[in-house]
Amino acid sequence: MRKVKFLTVWAKALLILAALTFSMVSGCSRLEGKDDGQIRNTVIKYNETLPLAYAGETAILKSVATEREMQRVELFKVQLAEENKVIRVNPVSLEVNEIERDSSGEVSVQALEIWEYRHLDSATLKPLGQWSKIRYKAVYLLVSSDKGWLVDNIDFEEELVN
């Protein structure tokens, strides 16, 4: 009988330990899930705001992007201006596939995106061609700030759809 009682006590201890471990792990994943939602929302807001930045002032990205990323967008606009062009873009679809964290606190977000775009003459704003669609495999690098998560850099591969 002692062996049975010992096994019962041991089994109860294991069950309690398992329950505690499960509650700690599930609590952590709830926190990560909430954080993942904020990260995902930052990428979504960035994509919603980017067309406005291309059409006007790049500073509109300030709530979703770092100074480094805003400079990259501004440089692209300057390069287009040197060709007497501006760009109009519309996000068609965005699919966030994976969110990864590294030890330094940076987060990378892998996404698939489809955008439509067209170039306009910078002086007249007349279209220089038809709307085209482009697919991106994008990796966003986000950093945490006192404002929340901000897009710091984007690496992407592009493929013309039409």
Side-chain angles (χ1 to χ4, degrees), residues 34-93:
K34 180 180 179 184
D35 201 31
D36 284 358
Q38 293 169 351
I39 291 165
R40 190 179 306 269
N41 285 339
T42 299
V43 172
I44 291 168
K45 286 180 185 178
Y46 178 90
N47 278 269
E48 291 171 347
T49 309
L50 188 59
L52 302 173
Y54 282 144
E57 294 297 319
T58 307
I60 197 165
L61 291 170
K62 196 170 192 121
S63 65
V64 291
T66 63
E67 192 65 36
R68 174 183 171 191
E69 175 58 16
M70 290 189 300
Q71 288 174 356
R72 186 191 65 81
V73 171
E74 188 62 31
L75 178 62
F76 178 64
K77 289 171 57 175
V78 167
Q79 289 170 339
L80 287 172
E82 289 173 354
E83 299 173 20
N84 298 318
K85 295 179 186 177
V86 293
I87 193 167
R88 295 298 180 259
V89 299
N90 295 310
V92 174
S93 67

Side-chain angles (χ1 to χ4, degrees), residues 93-143:
S93 67
L94 170 66
E95 181 183 324
V96 174
N97 293 327
E98 192 172 339
I99 299 173
E100 296 177 355
R101 293 163 175 76
D102 70 12
S103 59
S104 69
E106 291 181 340
V107 171
S108 64
V109 178
Q110 295 181 17
L112 290 175
E113 306 172 8
I114 297 178
W115 289 79
E116 61 182 10
Y117 74 95
R118 114 165 125 183
H119 293 106
L120 310 175
D121 180 274
S122 60
T124 64
L125 297 182
K126 289 186 179 180
L128 297 174
Q130 299 298 316
W131 286 96
S132 297
K133 284 188 181 176
I134 195 163
R135 179 180 302 126
Y136 292 103
K137 291 181 184 178
V139 178
Y140 291 81
L141 179 64
L142 279 73
V143 294

